Amino acid sequence: MKSIPESLQALVGQAIKRIDTPALVIDLDAMERNIERMARFAQQHGVLWRPHAKLHKSAHIALLLEQAGACGHCVQKVSEAEALAAGGVNNLFISNQVVSPGKLERVARLAKTLYARSGRLAIAVDSEEGIARLAKAMQDAKASNGAIDVLVEVNVGQNRCGVEPGAAAVALARAILAQPTLRFAGLQAYHGGAQHLRSAQARREAIAQVLRHVNRTRHEFDAAGIALPLITGAGTGTMVNEAASGVYGEIQPGSFLFMDADYAANEHDPAQPVFEHALYVKTQVMSLGEGRAVCDAGHKAHAVDSGLPRLHALPPEQALRFENGGDEHGLLYPAREAGNTSGWLPALGETLWLIPGHCDPTVNLYDHLIGVRGGRLKGVVERIFTVDGRGALT
Ligand SMILES: Cc1ncc(COP(=O)(O)O)c(C=O)c1O
């Protein structure tokens, strides 16, 4: 696990106003409510939940999620898996394709380490070549039989990774079953694009189409006499649909934990628990100009791939519009259309809270997350989390 500098550790027990800016702050009360709601949702639907750790990249947070009932964690990269395993996380699924021999050597080493700790490593595959390479890496590492779980990723509409549904998926399962070091563990059927369709109905329809692909594939498995131990997939935007399908045994939402501005723009599905924003960039005004204030959070402080951040909890008469001021600056203008008719601007040094457009790449910009209890006005720093998988791209 990464270390925490003394100056940051010294913040624990201090008032929230002592946090210098820009900083990435977790509202622990909101995060814990999100976790509770997810745990209840999964229990009500009889599905396992394996939250995606590409969001938080923190071993400590992964362990908190396990305490609440998560069955393990998804990661997207081998190095993310290594970082979490180094922090004591034992059950990991690399929900992605890995084909380079160097990385597969690390996968095999990690699978052996987790196996020896009574944990498990799982990985997705979508090609015969990928399976052969993985099997070779496991043999070269002298791994025990069945030391890694392998799931066939099926392209259920995202047109990213994944073998086509139906017979092609069965062929890959057979290739896995032919390798003694590999254990066939089921299918990954994830549709990322469906998560952010704005209307609940559009998301429902997209997942209905996903289910047609999944069911066609299940029937091919039945016909081939191959048991399907698990179907896993789903993110925060569509999980109500996969969880209610009776087909998915596991869901993989990640963003529910922090909830970004982009997800907040989705129409709420009444069947979905209400998840709250729990991650903020704390920023302060560092300059005032004619009709504008300038804060110290530019796009090195928050990701912009899903749009600019939103300002949190300002009354209409103080509504502000955030505009990109470059790497280190954010520009704030009175949002007259939202009710700030007087042109009010915050004072020099005033604190503002930004809700990132997209939390995953925002977290990846920071070494630490500062956990605060008691709200953004009167809260106290309770805990510092290390972003163990920061920059884990390989
Ligand atoms: C394979 C996979 N599963 C689950 C998720 C989690 O999605 P979300 O963070 O939208 O809940 C992602 C996110 O990109 C993903 O790629």
Side-chain angles (χ1 to χ4, degrees), residues 33-117:
R33 284 192 291 274
N34 288 345
I35 295 174
E36 264 170 44
R37 287 169 190 150
M38 176 57 74
R40 208 173 321 122
F41 174 85
Q43 197 183 28
Q44 280 164 355
H45 288 81
V47 290
L48 299 169
W49 54 297
R50 180 181 286 276
H52 215 302
K54 75 194 255 294
L55 171 85
H56 57 75
K57 292 170 167 274
S58 156
H60 254 118
I61 293 179
L63 295 173
L64 286 180
L65 287 159
E66 274 179 38
Q67 279 164 21
C71 69
H73 309 275
C74 292
V75 290
Q76 214 74 314
K77 298 297 178 112
V78 181
S79 47
E80 270 177 351
E82 289 167 335
L84 294 192
V89 180
N90 287 332
N91 193 318
L92 291 161
F93 170 34
I94 303 171
S95 59
N96 202 0
Q97 306 302 315
V98 179
V99 295
S100 89
K103 288 196 191 77
L104 287 169
E105 209 180 297
R106 287 160 50 203
V107 166
R109 210 177 308 132
L110 185 60
K112 282 181 73 177
T113 304
L114 294 182
Y115 194 65
R117 281 170 20 187

Side-chain angles (χ1 to χ4, degrees), residues 11 15-21 23 25 282 353 370 372 381:
L11 271 180
I16 193 166
K17 65 174 189 297
R18 298 293 301 275
I19 302 172
D20 211 341
T21 58
V25 176
K282 183 185 177 192
W353 297 92
I370 302 174
V372 168
V381 176

Side-chain angles (χ1 to χ4, degrees), residues 267-337:
E267 181 201 355
H268 179 69
D269 187 324
Q272 166 113 337
V274 174
F275 296 120
E276 303 170 42
H277 294 299
L279 186 79
Y280 298 89
V281 176
K282 183 185 177 192
T283 182
Q284 67 182 300
V285 176
M286 61 192 232
S287 173
L288 286 172
E290 195 51 49
R292 67 175 185 278
V294 185
C295 71
D296 59 1
H299 53 237
K300 282 189 188 162
H302 52 79
V304 294
D305 60 300
S306 297
L308 293 171
R310 265 196 12 233
L311 283 132
H312 175 69
L314 293 171
E317 63 278 13
Q318 296 181 348
L320 297 173
R321 197 175 71 250
F322 185 99
E323 284 194 12
N324 198 342
D327 290 356
E328 316 290 1
H329 303 85
L331 302 176
L332 305 164
Y333 296 98
R336 292 180 195 276
E337 66 290 354

Side-chain angles (χ1 to χ4, degrees), residues 142-386:
K142 300 190 174 31
S144 312
N145 278 357
I148 190 164
D149 286 339
V150 185
L151 291 99
V152 172
E153 179 165 11
V154 180
N155 176 17
V156 287
Q158 185 170 14
N159 298 327
R160 189 169 67 180
C161 297
V163 69
E164 288 311 299
V170 176
L172 291 191
R174 285 195 206 282
I176 296 165
L177 288 163
Q179 297 287 352
T181 49
L182 313 184
R183 191 172 80 172
F184 173 60
L187 304 180
Q188 166 159 271
Y190 173 75
H191 191 327
Q195 309 305 321
H196 301 274
L197 296 172
R198 290 298 177 226
S199 89
Q201 180 61 21
R203 296 195 297 278
R204 221 169 285 134
E205 283 165 13
I207 299 307
Q209 181 60 22
V210 165
L211 284 169
R212 282 191 275 280
H213 293 309
V214 170
N215 285 329
R216 179 154 74 81
T217 309
R218 287 170 65 216
H219 293 140
E220 293 278 353
F221 273 82
D222 279 351
I226 300 174
L228 258 180
L230 180 73
I231 295 173
T232 182
T236 303
T238 65
M239 64 178 207
V240 283
N241 304 295
E242 286 94 333
S245 69
V247 169
Y248 282 71
E250 182 180 276
I251 54 172
Q252 309 174 348
S255 297
F256 77 93
L257 191 67
F258 293 155
M259 289 304 280
D260 49 45
D262 189 71
Y263 260 130
N266 272 9
E267 181 201 355
H268 179 69
D269 187 324
Q272 166 113 337
V274 174
F275 296 120
E276 303 170 42
H277 294 299
L279 186 79
Y280 298 89
V281 176
K282 183 185 177 192
T283 182
Q284 67 182 300
V285 176
M286 61 192 232
S287 173
L288 286 172
E290 195 51 49
R292 67 175 185 278
V294 185
C295 71
D296 59 1
H299 53 237
K300 282 189 188 162
H302 52 79
V304 294
D305 60 300
S306 297
L308 293 171
R310 265 196 12 233
L311 283 132
H312 175 69
L314 293 171
E317 63 278 13
Q318 296 181 348
L320 297 173
R321 197 175 71 250
F322 185 99
E323 284 194 12
N324 198 342
D327 290 356
E328 316 290 1
H329 303 85
L331 302 176
L332 305 164
Y333 296 98
R336 292 180 195 276
E337 66 290 354
N340 184 357
T341 46
S342 71
W344 177 89
L345 284 170
L348 204 63
E350 195 157 325
T351 294
L352 294 159
W353 297 92
L354 304 180
I355 301 168
H358 190 185
C359 288
D360 305 40
T362 298
V363 170
N364 195 45
L365 298 169
Y366 291 80
D367 285 322
H368 302 97
L369 304 166
I370 302 174
V372 168
R373 175 87 55 203
R376 282 166 305 280
L377 292 179
K378 298 195 175 148
V380 170
V381 176
E382 182 172 292
R383 183 171 192 171
I384 312 292
F385 299 93
T386 50

